[in-house]
Amino acid sequence: MVAKEKYPADWLKKVPAVVFGSLARGQIRVLLHPGNGLADGGAPRDVPSVQLPVDLRMPNTLLWVELDESMKIARVWKRDM
């Protein structure tokens, strides 16, 4: 029997996000899917700052995020405008 996926794999591979800012020491708040549907302001996610390269930590930086099966951020890279 094959385990059923919670989400299609392609939904987790390239998620649009934007850096909100640093609200707690060692954490950076990232908004996933900003401007989409009920998550119009984005779905907030606090990420350990070591997971984001220094050049991607500025507020309003546009990102792509890859999530793993447990919805944790696996990879982050800059989104071109």
Side-chain angles (χ1 to χ4, degrees):
M1 183 173 196
V2 177
K4 197 171 189 180
E5 293 179 343
K6 289 184 180 182
Y7 303 98
D10 59 331
W11 283 12
L12 304 176
K13 296 294 180 195
K14 198 172 182 184
V15 177
V18 63
V19 175
F20 181 76
S22 179
L23 301 176
R25 175 172 271 176
Q27 299 284 319
I28 296 177
R29 177 149 297 177
V30 174
L31 303 175
L32 303 177
H33 288 290
N36 290 326
L38 293 175
D40 190 26
R45 178 74 54 95
D46 291 329
V47 180
S49 57
V50 296
Q51 207 169 355
L52 286 172
V54 175
D55 61 327
L56 299 182
R57 296 180 187 176
M58 282 296 288
N60 299 320
T61 301
L62 300 175
L63 306 172
W64 289 115
V65 173
E66 181 179 343
L67 303 171
D68 62 16
E69 297 82 27
S70 62
M71 301 299 282
K72 292 186 179 175
I73 294 176
R75 186 169 70 113
V76 177
W77 66 101
K78 187 169 179 144
R79 189 168 26 141
D80 293 329
M81 295 215 183

